[in-house]
Amino acid sequence: MSKRIDDAVDLLHAILVAHKAAPCNSSSDVRRIRIRAVKDVAEARGVTHQDIADVYIRRLTPYVKQTRHFDVLVSQWIKGDSIELKAALEKSCLDRGDSRRVETFFAVNHLPLGDEV
């Protein structure tokens, strides 16, 4: 499994946890939880926040064009539309392990966040 997919999925999981604790209702909320999630994942791994932020700044290019684009994709995912975010990760997969990790993550987290059964 590649570090890029591992970092991306861990970051999305941290965003999910943060959203559940304090739901996102605006683009500034998405930005806020992304920044917090980057710091949390970096701290848990003992790396810099830039190492984790690099996943959406460089490593998912050309499928994620910039930080603002990543935030839009996350916002869509939170509202229940994960198609574009999932596609960006799928296109960035390097092997079957990556593909399985992305598929499993989105299968488990496919509902609009906050509408859990």
Side-chain angles (χ1 to χ4, degrees):
M1 182 176 333
S2 69
K3 184 169 171 37
R4 122 181 53 195
I5 296 300
D6 199 36
D7 288 350
V9 170
D10 286 352
L11 178 58
L12 291 174
H13 182 262
I15 288 170
L16 171 67
V17 169
H19 172 69
K20 287 180 177 180
C24 298
N25 297 312
S26 69
S27 60
S28 63
D29 289 342
V30 170
R31 181 180 180 278
R32 177 184 47 78
I33 66 165
R34 176 194 29 86
I35 291 168
R36 179 77 249 157
V38 166
K39 290 177 182 176
D40 290 347
V41 171
E43 184 177 304
R45 291 193 178 177
V47 298
T48 69
H49 73 279
Q50 190 59 39
D51 290 332
I52 302 303
D54 192 55
V55 76
Y56 57 81
I57 294 172
R58 287 188 202 89
R59 290 186 279 157
L60 294 178
T61 300
Y63 313 110
V64 176
K65 294 171 183 43
Q66 56 189 333
T67 302
R68 192 174 16 204
H69 183 221
F70 182 75
D71 287 350
V72 167
L73 298 178
V74 168
S75 182
Q76 290 169 346
W77 171 52
I78 286 170
K79 294 173 185 167
D81 178 8
S82 63
I83 294 169
E84 195 175 345
L85 180 60
K86 182 180 176 188
L89 268 66
E90 288 173 336
K91 291 174 185 173
S92 299
C93 290
L94 299 178
D95 59 31
R96 287 185 181 209
D98 284 353
S99 297
R100 280 192 295 271
R101 179 104 196 259
V102 169
E103 187 61 38
T104 300
F105 179 79
F106 283 98
V108 171
N109 299 294
H110 68 284
L111 296 173
L113 306 184
D115 291 348
E116 296 176 281
V117 177

mmCIF file with all atom_site columns, all heavy atoms in Angstrom, residues 85-97:
data_model
loop_
_atom_site.group_PDB
_atom_site.id
_atom_site.type_symbol
_atom_site.label_atom_id
_atom_site.label_alt_id
_atom_site.label_comp_id
_atom_site.label_asym_id
_atom_site.label_entity_id
_atom_site.label_seq_id
_atom_site.pdbx_PDB_ins_code
_atom_site.Cartn_x
_atom_site.Cartn_y
_atom_site.Cartn_z
_atom_site.occupancy
_atom_site.B_iso_or_equiv
_atom_site.pdbx_formal_charge
_atom_site.auth_seq_id
_atom_site.auth_comp_id
_atom_site.auth_asym_id
_atom_site.auth_atom_id
_atom_site.pdbx_PDB_model_num
ATOM 1  N N   . LEU A 1 85 ? -14.462 12.714 -4.846  1.00 0.00 ? 85 LEU A N   1
ATOM 2  C CA  . LEU A 1 85 ? -13.376 12.471 -3.906  1.00 0.00 ? 85 LEU A CA  1
ATOM 3  C C   . LEU A 1 85 ? -12.888 11.029 -4.018  1.00 0.00 ? 85 LEU A C   1
ATOM 4  O O   . LEU A 1 85 ? -11.681 10.773 -4.096  1.00 0.00 ? 85 LEU A O   1
ATOM 5  C CB  . LEU A 1 85 ? -13.836 12.763 -2.472  1.00 0.00 ? 85 LEU A CB  1
ATOM 6  C CG  . LEU A 1 85 ? -12.801 12.562 -1.370  1.00 0.00 ? 85 LEU A CG  1
ATOM 7  C CD1 . LEU A 1 85 ? -11.588 13.453 -1.584  1.00 0.00 ? 85 LEU A CD1 1
ATOM 8  C CD2 . LEU A 1 85 ? -13.435 12.827 -0.013  1.00 0.00 ? 85 LEU A CD2 1
ATOM 9  N N   . LYS A 1 86 ? -13.812 10.097 -4.068  1.00 0.00 ? 86 LYS A N   1
ATOM 10 C CA  . LYS A 1 86 ? -13.447 8.687  -4.210  1.00 0.00 ? 86 LYS A CA  1
ATOM 11 C C   . LYS A 1 86 ? -12.703 8.452  -5.529  1.00 0.00 ? 86 LYS A C   1
ATOM 12 O O   . LYS A 1 86 ? -11.687 7.756  -5.560  1.00 0.00 ? 86 LYS A O   1
ATOM 13 C CB  . LYS A 1 86 ? -14.692 7.807  -4.144  1.00 0.00 ? 86 LYS A CB  1
ATOM 14 C CG  . LYS A 1 86 ? -14.390 6.336  -4.224  1.00 0.00 ? 86 LYS A CG  1
ATOM 15 C CD  . LYS A 1 86 ? -15.664 5.509  -4.148  1.00 0.00 ? 86 LYS A CD  1
ATOM 16 C CE  . LYS A 1 86 ? -15.367 4.037  -4.314  1.00 0.00 ? 86 LYS A CE  1
ATOM 17 N NZ  . LYS A 1 86 ? -16.592 3.246  -4.421  1.00 0.00 ? 86 LYS A NZ  1
ATOM 18 N N   . ALA A 1 87 ? -13.175 9.054  -6.602  1.00 0.00 ? 87 ALA A N   1
ATOM 19 C CA  . ALA A 1 87 ? -12.523 8.899  -7.911  1.00 0.00 ? 87 ALA A CA  1
ATOM 20 C C   . ALA A 1 87 ? -11.094 9.444  -7.877  1.00 0.00 ? 87 ALA A C   1
ATOM 21 O O   . ALA A 1 87 ? -10.180 8.842  -8.443  1.00 0.00 ? 87 ALA A O   1
ATOM 22 C CB  . ALA A 1 87 ? -13.333 9.592  -8.994  1.00 0.00 ? 87 ALA A CB  1
ATOM 23 N N   . ALA A 1 88 ? -10.892 10.571 -7.212  1.00 0.00 ? 88 ALA A N   1
ATOM 24 C CA  . ALA A 1 88 ? -9.545  11.140 -7.111  1.00 0.00 ? 88 ALA A CA  1
ATOM 25 C C   . ALA A 1 88 ? -8.605  10.177 -6.394  1.00 0.00 ? 88 ALA A C   1
ATOM 26 O O   . ALA A 1 88 ? -7.467  9.973  -6.829  1.00 0.00 ? 88 ALA A O   1
ATOM 27 C CB  . ALA A 1 88 ? -9.591  12.480 -6.381  1.00 0.00 ? 88 ALA A CB  1
ATOM 28 N N   . LEU A 1 89 ? -9.087  9.557  -5.324  1.00 0.00 ? 89 LEU A N   1
ATOM 29 C CA  . LEU A 1 89 ? -8.254  8.593  -4.617  1.00 0.00 ? 89 LEU A CA  1
ATOM 30 C C   . LEU A 1 89 ? -8.036  7.329  -5.451  1.00 0.00 ? 89 LEU A C   1
ATOM 31 O O   . LEU A 1 89 ? -6.915  6.815  -5.509  1.00 0.00 ? 89 LEU A O   1
ATOM 32 C CB  . LEU A 1 89 ? -8.859  8.249  -3.260  1.00 0.00 ? 89 LEU A CB  1
ATOM 33 C CG  . LEU A 1 89 ? -8.343  9.124  -2.108  1.00 0.00 ? 89 LEU A CG  1
ATOM 34 C CD1 . LEU A 1 89 ? -8.767  10.556 -2.258  1.00 0.00 ? 89 LEU A CD1 1
ATOM 35 C CD2 . LEU A 1 89 ? -8.795  8.555  -0.792  1.00 0.00 ? 89 LEU A CD2 1
ATOM 36 N N   . GLU A 1 90 ? -9.084  6.847  -6.103  1.00 0.00 ? 90 GLU A N   1
ATOM 37 C CA  . GLU A 1 90 ? -8.948  5.641  -6.929  1.00 0.00 ? 90 GLU A CA  1
ATOM 38 C C   . GLU A 1 90 ? -7.937  5.840  -8.050  1.00 0.00 ? 90 GLU A C   1
ATOM 39 O O   . GLU A 1 90 ? -7.131  4.955  -8.340  1.00 0.00 ? 90 GLU A O   1
ATOM 40 C CB  . GLU A 1 90 ? -10.300 5.242  -7.522  1.00 0.00 ? 90 GLU A CB  1
ATOM 41 C CG  . GLU A 1 90 ? -11.253 4.674  -6.500  1.00 0.00 ? 90 GLU A CG  1
ATOM 42 C CD  . GLU A 1 90 ? -12.655 4.437  -7.039  1.00 0.00 ? 90 GLU A CD  1
ATOM 43 O OE1 . GLU A 1 90 ? -13.060 5.088  -8.024  1.00 0.00 ? 90 GLU A OE1 1
ATOM 44 O OE2 . GLU A 1 90 ? -13.349 3.597  -6.461  1.00 0.00 ? 90 GLU A OE2 1
ATOM 45 N N   . LYS A 1 91 ? -7.952  7.001  -8.672  1.00 0.00 ? 91 LYS A N   1
ATOM 46 C CA  . LYS A 1 91 ? -7.015  7.286  -9.760  1.00 0.00 ? 91 LYS A CA  1
ATOM 47 C C   . LYS A 1 91 ? -5.588  7.435  -9.251  1.00 0.00 ? 91 LYS A C   1
ATOM 48 O O   . LYS A 1 91 ? -4.644  7.325  -10.028 1.00 0.00 ? 91 LYS A O   1
ATOM 49 C CB  . LYS A 1 91 ? -7.439  8.550  -10.508 1.00 0.00 ? 91 LYS A CB  1
ATOM 50 C CG  . LYS A 1 91 ? -8.708  8.375  -11.300 1.00 0.00 ? 91 LYS A CG  1
ATOM 51 C CD  . LYS A 1 91 ? -9.152  9.687  -11.893 1.00 0.00 ? 91 LYS A CD  1
ATOM 52 C CE  . LYS A 1 91 ? -10.494 9.557  -12.589 1.00 0.00 ? 91 LYS A CE  1
ATOM 53 N NZ  . LYS A 1 91 ? -11.004 10.868 -13.025 1.00 0.00 ? 91 LYS A NZ  1
ATOM 54 N N   . SER A 1 92 ? -5.434  7.656  -7.960  1.00 0.00 ? 92 SER A N   1
ATOM 55 C CA  . SER A 1 92 ? -4.117  7.820  -7.356  1.00 0.00 ? 92 SER A CA  1
ATOM 56 C C   . SER A 1 92 ? -3.554  6.513  -6.796  1.00 0.00 ? 92 SER A C   1
ATOM 57 O O   . SER A 1 92 ? -2.422  6.490  -6.314  1.00 0.00 ? 92 SER A O   1
ATOM 58 C CB  . SER A 1 92 ? -4.193  8.857  -6.230  1.00 0.00 ? 92 SER A CB  1
ATOM 59 O OG  . SER A 1 92 ? -4.594  10.110 -6.747  1.00 0.00 ? 92 SER A OG  1
ATOM 60 N N   . CYS A 1 93 ? -4.330  5.450  -6.856  1.00 0.00 ? 93 CYS A N   1
ATOM 61 C CA  . CYS A 1 93 ? -3.893  4.153  -6.323  1.00 0.00 ? 93 CYS A CA  1
ATOM 62 C C   . CYS A 1 93 ? -2.737  3.593  -7.146  1.00 0.00 ? 93 CYS A C   1
ATOM 63 O O   . CYS A 1 93 ? -2.726  3.705  -8.373  1.00 0.00 ? 93 CYS A O   1
ATOM 64 C CB  . CYS A 1 93 ? -5.047  3.156  -6.328  1.00 0.00 ? 93 CYS A CB  1
ATOM 65 S SG  . CYS A 1 93 ? -6.334  3.530  -5.118  1.00 0.00 ? 93 CYS A SG  1
ATOM 66 N N   . LEU A 1 94 ? -1.807  2.965  -6.446  1.00 0.00 ? 94 LEU A N   1
ATOM 67 C CA  . LEU A 1 94 ? -0.652  2.370  -7.109  1.00 0.00 ? 94 LEU A CA  1
ATOM 68 C C   . LEU A 1 94 ? -0.745  0.850  -7.203  1.00 0.00 ? 94 LEU A C   1
ATOM 69 O O   . LEU A 1 94 ? -0.061  0.248  -8.015  1.00 0.00 ? 94 LEU A O   1
ATOM 70 C CB  . LEU A 1 94 ? 0.638   2.751  -6.382  1.00 0.00 ? 94 LEU A CB  1
ATOM 71 C CG  . LEU A 1 94 ? 0.952   4.238  -6.321  1.00 0.00 ? 94 LEU A CG  1
ATOM 72 C CD1 . LEU A 1 94 ? 2.226   4.475  -5.529  1.00 0.00 ? 94 LEU A CD1 1
ATOM 73 C CD2 . LEU A 1 94 ? 1.065   4.821  -7.723  1.00 0.00 ? 94 LEU A CD2 1
ATOM 74 N N   . ASP A 1 95 ? -1.572  0.237  -6.345  1.00 0.00 ? 95 ASP A N   1
ATOM 75 C CA  . ASP A 1 95 ? -1.670  -1.217 -6.352  1.00 0.00 ? 95 ASP A CA  1
ATOM 76 C C   . ASP A 1 95 ? -3.034  -1.657 -5.802  1.00 0.00 ? 95 ASP A C   1
ATOM 77 O O   . ASP A 1 95 ? -3.855  -0.825 -5.429  1.00 0.00 ? 95 ASP A O   1
ATOM 78 C CB  . ASP A 1 95 ? -0.524  -1.851 -5.562  1.00 0.00 ? 95 ASP A CB  1
ATOM 79 C CG  . ASP A 1 95 ? -0.466  -1.399 -4.102  1.00 0.00 ? 95 ASP A CG  1
ATOM 80 O OD1 . ASP A 1 95 ? -1.523  -1.093 -3.506  1.00 0.00 ? 95 ASP A OD1 1
ATOM 81 O OD2 . ASP A 1 95 ? 0.644   -1.361 -3.548  1.00 0.00 ? 95 ASP A OD2 1
ATOM 82 N N   . ARG A 1 96 ? -3.243  -2.966 -5.761  1.00 0.00 ? 96 ARG A N   1
ATOM 83 C CA  . ARG A 1 96 ? -4.531  -3.494 -5.280  1.00 0.00 ? 96 ARG A CA  1
ATOM 84 C C   . ARG A 1 96 ? -4.784  -3.184 -3.817  1.00 0.00 ? 96 ARG A C   1
ATOM 85 O O   . ARG A 1 96 ? -5.922  -2.996 -3.410  1.00 0.00 ? 96 ARG A O   1
ATOM 86 C CB  . ARG A 1 96 ? -4.601  -4.996 -5.520  1.00 0.00 ? 96 ARG A CB  1
ATOM 87 C CG  . ARG A 1 96 ? -4.797  -5.344 -6.965  1.00 0.00 ? 96 ARG A CG  1
ATOM 88 C CD  . ARG A 1 96 ? -4.970  -6.818 -7.122  1.00 0.00 ? 96 ARG A CD  1
ATOM 89 N NE  . ARG A 1 96 ? -5.133  -7.125 -8.541  1.00 0.00 ? 96 ARG A NE  1
ATOM 90 C CZ  . ARG A 1 96 ? -5.814  -8.133 -8.974  1.00 0.00 ? 96 ARG A CZ  1
ATOM 91 N NH1 . ARG A 1 96 ? -6.383  -8.971 -8.134  1.00 0.00 ? 96 ARG A NH1 1
ATOM 92 N NH2 . ARG A 1 96 ? -5.929  -8.339 -10.258 1.00 0.00 ? 96 ARG A NH2 1
ATOM 93 N N   . GLY A 1 97 ? -3.721  -3.143 -3.035  1.00 0.00 ? 97 GLY A N   1
ATOM 94 C CA  . GLY A 1 97 ? -3.874  -2.782 -1.626  1.00 0.00 ? 97 GLY A CA  1
ATOM 95 C C   . GLY A 1 97 ? -4.452  -1.384 -1.481  1.00 0.00 ? 97 GLY A C   1
ATOM 96 O O   . GLY A 1 97 ? -5.334  -1.145 -0.650  1.00 0.00 ? 97 GLY A O   1
#
